[in-house]
Amino acid sequence: MTGVHFGELPMLTVEDGVRSCAYSPDGKSLAVGLFNGDIGVYATSTWEKIRILKGHTDWVRRIAYHPTENQIVSCSEDATVRLWDVDSGICVRILSGHESIVPGVAYSPQGDQVASAGADGTVRLWDMVTGRCTRTLPHNNWVKCVAYSPKGNQIASGSADFTVRLWNVETGDCSRILSGHSEEVGEIAYSPQGHQLASASDDMTIRLWDVDIGTCRYVLAGHHNAVSNVAYSPRGHQIVSGGQDGTVRLWDVETGVCLQTLTGHSRTVLIVQFSPKGDQVASGGWDKTVRLWDVSVRASRHVSRGHSQQVYSVKHSPNGDQIASGGLDTTVRLWDTQTGLCLRVLRGHTDTVSWAVYSPQGDQIATCGGDKTVRLWSVESGECLHVLTGHRRFVEKAAFSPQGHRVVSVSQDRSVRFWDVATGDCCAILNGHTNMVLGITYSPDGKQVATGSVDCTIRLWNVDDETCSRIMMGHEGDVNTVVYSPQGNQLASASDDMTVRIWDVESGECRFILIGHRDMVYCVAYSPKGDLLASGSKDKTTRLWDTHLGQCRTVIRNFQDIVKTVDWNPTLAGVYLVTGCGDGSVLKWQIVEEAGDCNAQLEWSATSGTLTMAGASMQDVRGLTQPNKHLLKQRGAVGEPEDLFREASKRVMTMASVVSTLKQVPNEAVQELF
């Protein structure tokens, strides 16, 4: 599992609320300031605590590392600024002068000066050699934050007077006042290049300012409560923000678009920081945790976030670059599979969207649901091209013909309807099922459709003469989904009887009954080659089956809710499976076959933002890093993975040789073997 990324790193649970944190310039340590006045220093390689700095008598409001030395400056509600030597843990200087709480502090880029922001309405500049206050800059109200420009010739301060002020460091003159926020400005940050400034406010917005001309370029809206903190990535192309709504958000600087919303904190997020490499974000807050996010994975592999209720359908576009999802919230959402961005939200249905499917050409989408309609949409414009009416009850599913000129739909009104895509007219109505029709699929050659019903049967229909050519019986419960194999010689069905059946299309005989699920099976889908079959169930698992042998190859467990829909997507990078669940989550898996084993590797995304591994075994797993080991344990995994050898040059030992060696050495020497 070397190189595996889960999108999140292990969470740090601390003694009190987290008010501030900062990475060291080399990224090897993270300092965390707490409500109780302590500062904990953690090694980022293992996330073990290596130092506790004690001295503040109240909340540690802000922390900053010296640009080149292993020193920290901190400020507190105890009205002091303290300088710390991290190696020894000693407070080397206390800077006193503010008359009240000190909410903000920052080192100059050269490290020879510190600026502090005070509730007494001032910004104070301190000489680090003498510890003296060299200049006092006045605001009209409580100053909540302060930051140096990258060149060190300018200071920005944010205040409870709703403004951001820019100051000339040499003269102390206020060169510009940036106005626009309607509430207090709680945090500010310069871009690495220094041409832009981000400000976070209690008005629930972040503003991006052009420093040179003083204009607001973007207003970033998305948080549902006050924005507590903001920080630029080292490259300056992204911003991370944390807020009182408990979320961490990633923003694109060029477009102002929210790229990701990271959820997991149970209370207000007070601090967010990028690691020096820009691949991680640390966030902390009232819930007494520091959460560590692998944003390199999140930014490139996140799939879906946005449905507020159950997801009933996920389908890839023919070229695999988009996913369409539909659910209980009545919307259809189109996602970019590479970036995870929501490209478009299709609104028009007035009830549950039960199904969404792309046309073979990828230019249209057919959707259907509880409002008794089928809708055809333009993928490019998002325009609804046709509303197909005629069904008298809930429309369960729809499918395009292989040529894309027709759509077939099935409904709880027991009928099968064919529609002309160009005109939206109903071409034919097929009746025969004695109960609600739940599943529909076209054969690959377009000459046949198969339907599944609550009457426990599967019917095969000839498209040309619109007649039923075969009735396949055997299921003892509702047939929820039917699907042809890519070759068209097999048909798979999923049923409430907890089984999946594979049928021979030519003879109508059942070749395999796939038993393993412990509750209703809702969905089934063939892999692109047809050698694997994926099934999703109410038992919160997805199973992959060998279609030639009728055997289960692997079980994907630990979904947090019902698996309602599955879909495959082959790419040059591998074969992927997407699952949609009853909790509104969409998860993406890479399916890897090696040495005869079939494995599902999570490239994951979930609405809750939390990886769940309850009961999953990591016993004897090789190559698992310490942070990933801690993360999996925190998420409920059991067992012990293999330790990595300390030296790559050490010989690989068999278990027998290890046991033999252990018998020959004293206990204190055992650890040196690994």
Side-chain angles (χ1 to χ4, degrees):
M1 295 185 68
T2 304
V4 171
H5 299 283
F6 295 102
E8 185 180 356
L9 294 166
M11 136 182 109
L12 305 179
T13 302
V14 294
E15 298 80 12
D16 208 340
V18 178
R19 190 61 185 87
S20 55
C21 68
Y23 279 95
S24 62
D26 60 9
K28 294 181 178 180
S29 62
L30 179 75
V32 179
L34 305 181
F35 286 1
N36 64 10
D38 291 348
I39 300 171
V41 183
Y42 296 82
T44 57
S45 58
T46 61
W47 295 110
E48 298 293 331
K49 186 186 293 184
I50 56 177
R51 190 84 61 208
I52 301 177
L53 310 181
K54 291 182 175 288
H56 283 297
T57 58
D58 211 331
W59 293 10
V60 180
R61 293 292 296 251
R62 193 66 73 234
I63 301 170
Y65 267 91
H66 190 282
T68 58
E69 300 175 14
N70 200 19
Q71 292 184 358
I72 286 174
V73 62
S74 60
C75 62
S76 168
E77 298 215 353
D78 64 10
T80 68
V81 176
R82 289 176 179 254
L83 304 181
W84 307 86
D85 179 81
V86 177
D87 292 329
S88 66
I90 296 174
C91 177
V92 297
R93 196 183 298 276
I94 300 175
L95 308 180
S96 301
H98 283 290
E99 299 172 2
S100 186
I101 295 169
V102 185
V105 68
Y107 265 111
S108 66
Q110 297 76 26
D112 59 341
Q113 195 177 73
V114 162
S116 59
D120 58 9
T122 67
V123 175
R124 291 175 181 257
L125 306 186
W126 307 84
D127 184 285
M128 287 297 93
V129 176
T130 64
R132 295 178 57 189
C133 177
T134 59
R135 197 177 297 279
T136 301
L137 312 176
H139 257 280
N140 295 330
N141 206 325
W142 185 342
V143 187
K144 307 199 74 173
C145 50
V146 64
Y148 277 91
S149 66
K151 293 181 179 179
N153 61 336
Q154 191 179 76
I155 288 175
S157 57
S159 171
D161 64 10
F162 308 169
T163 69
V164 176
R165 292 176 184 250
L166 306 184
W167 308 85
N168 184 294
V169 172
E170 186 175 350
T171 66
D173 294 335
C174 178
S175 58
R176 199 178 298 278
I177 299 176
L178 309 179
S179 301
H181 283 295
S182 58
E183 295 287 345
E184 296 180 359
V185 179
E187 188 57 70
I188 50 178
Y190 278 94
S191 66
Q193 297 76 27
H195 300 302
Q196 195 177 78
L197 184 79
S199 57
S201 171
D202 286 1
D203 65 10
M204 302 188 288
T205 71
I206 301 155
R207 288 179 176 255
L208 304 187
W209 306 87
D210 186 305
V211 173
D212 297 328
I213 60 178
T215 58
C216 178
R217 184 180 180 191
Y218 288 119
V219 178
L220 311 183
H223 282 286
H224 303 304
N225 209 324
V227 186
S228 308
N229 204 258
V230 65
Y232 277 90
S233 65
R235 288 168 49 200
H237 67 302
Q238 288 184 355
I239 284 174
V240 62
S241 61
Q244 290 185 22
D245 58 6
T247 69
V248 176
R249 292 174 184 258
L250 289 178
W251 308 83
D252 182 83
V253 170
E254 285 300 315
T255 64
V257 171
C258 181
L259 302 174
Q260 306 293 338
T261 302
L262 310 179
T263 58
H265 283 287
S266 60
R267 299 179 68 184
T268 295
V269 179
L270 292 171
I271 185 72
V272 289
Q273 285 289 306
F274 271 99
S275 66
K277 292 182 179 179
D279 57 342
Q280 293 178 13
V281 163
S283 60
W286 280 95
D287 62 4
K288 301 183 182 180
T289 69
V290 177
R291 289 184 179 262
L292 307 165
W293 308 92
D294 187 339
V295 293
S296 64
V297 174
R298 281 280 186 170
S300 64
R301 295 185 180 177
H302 180 75
V303 177
S304 168
R305 187 181 309 278
H307 284 288
S308 59
Q309 299 183 66
Q310 293 186 21
V311 175
Y312 286 119
S313 173
V314 288
K315 285 292 179 183
H316 282 93
S317 61
N319 62 8
D321 62 350
Q322 285 186 14
I323 291 173
S325 59
L328 191 60
D329 63 5
T330 75
T331 68
V332 179
R333 293 175 183 262
L334 308 186
W335 308 91
D336 185 301
T337 56
Q338 294 302 311
T339 66
L341 292 178
C342 181
L343 304 174
R344 197 179 298 278
V345 180
L346 309 181
R347 304 181 188 276
H349 282 287
T350 58
D351 205 335
T352 298
V353 179
S354 60
W355 202 247
V357 62
Y358 284 87
S359 65
Q361 296 77 23
D363 59 338
Q364 290 189 25
I365 291 175
T367 61
C368 59
D371 61 6
K372 308 174 190 177
T373 70
V374 178
R375 290 176 179 256
L376 302 183
W377 308 82
S378 166
V379 172
E380 183 177 358
S381 68
E383 178 187 359
C384 181
L385 305 174
H386 294 292
V387 180
L388 313 181
T389 59
H391 283 295
R392 299 187 304 277
R393 296 183 66 183
F394 195 116
V395 184
E396 291 283 348
K397 292 183 178 71
F400 277 95
S401 65
Q403 297 77 27
H405 67 298
R406 282 192 176 185
V407 164
V408 61
S409 59
V410 294
S411 168
Q412 292 183 10
D413 65 10
R414 307 183 185 183
S415 72
V416 181
R417 289 178 178 253
F418 289 84
W419 310 86
D420 185 284
V421 170
T423 66
D425 295 334
C426 181
C427 308
I429 302 174
L430 308 182
N431 293 296
H433 282 292
T434 59
N435 210 323
M436 297 183 289
V437 189
L438 305 179
I440 179 68
T441 181
Y442 258 101
S443 63
D445 60 11
K447 296 179 179 180
Q448 199 176 65
V449 295
T451 55
S453 170
V454 176
D455 64 15
C456 304
T457 70
I458 299 164
R459 290 177 178 251
L460 305 185
W461 308 83
N462 293 324
V463 173
D464 290 339
D465 58 14
E466 301 169 2
T467 60
C468 179
S469 60
R470 192 180 300 280
I471 301 176
M472 302 153 74
M473 295 183 289
H475 278 298
E476 298 176 359
D478 300 359
V479 180
N480 297 309
T481 305
V482 289
V483 61
Y484 280 94
S485 65
Q487 297 77 21
N489 61 328
Q490 284 186 3
L491 186 79
S493 56
S495 171
D496 280 3
D497 64 10
M498 301 188 290
T499 70
V500 176
R501 290 179 180 245
I502 296 179
W503 309 81
D504 183 89
V505 172
E506 186 174 353
S507 67
E509 295 179 356
C510 180
R511 292 190 57 198
F512 298 112
I513 301 176
L514 310 182
I515 298 173
H517 284 294
R518 289 180 284 183
D519 212 324
M520 303 173 185
V521 187
Y522 288 124
C523 52
V524 67
Y526 276 94
S527 65
K529 292 181 179 179
D531 56 335
L532 290 176
L533 189 72
S535 58
S537 169
K538 190 178 179 181
D539 66 7
K540 302 180 184 178
T541 71
T542 294
R543 287 178 176 258
L544 302 185
W545 309 85
D546 187 307
T547 59
H548 302 303
L549 302 175
Q551 297 175 350
C552 182
R553 297 287 306 279
T554 192
V555 183
I556 307 174
R557 305 181 188 276
N558 308 306
F559 291 96
Q560 298 183 53
D561 210 329
I562 300 165
V563 182
K564 300 287 291 186
T565 179
V566 293
D567 190 43
W568 294 84
N569 179 32
T571 70
L572 294 176
V575 177
Y576 296 87
L577 180 74
V578 173
T579 56
C581 299
D583 61 359
S585 66
V586 177
L587 293 90
K588 184 179 180 181
W589 311 81
Q590 184 175 15
I591 308 304
V592 179
E593 296 200 53
E594 52 187 0
D597 293 329
C598 181
N599 299 303
Q601 297 179 357
L602 190 59
E603 291 225 335
W604 67 281
S605 170
T607 301
S608 65
T610 302
L611 177 64
T612 299
M613 301 293 292
S617 175
M618 57 177 178
Q619 185 66 37
D620 299 328
V621 171
R622 295 182 180 180
L624 195 62
T625 64
Q626 282 296 109
N628 277 347
K629 174 183 173 181
H630 292 324
L631 172 63
L632 297 185
K633 281 194 171 184
Q634 288 176 353
R635 296 297 181 266
V638 296
E640 286 297 325
E642 274 193 17
D643 288 331
L644 292 170
F645 285 145
R646 288 185 177 177
E647 298 178 20
S649 60
K650 289 189 176 182
R651 64 188 181 90
V652 177
M653 300 180 182
T654 64
M655 182 57 70
S657 67
V658 172
V659 172
S660 175
T661 305
L662 290 178
K663 290 179 180 178
Q664 302 172 29
V665 297
N667 290 337
E668 59 269 20
V670 170
Q671 61 179 348
E672 296 303 324
L673 292 172
F674 300 98

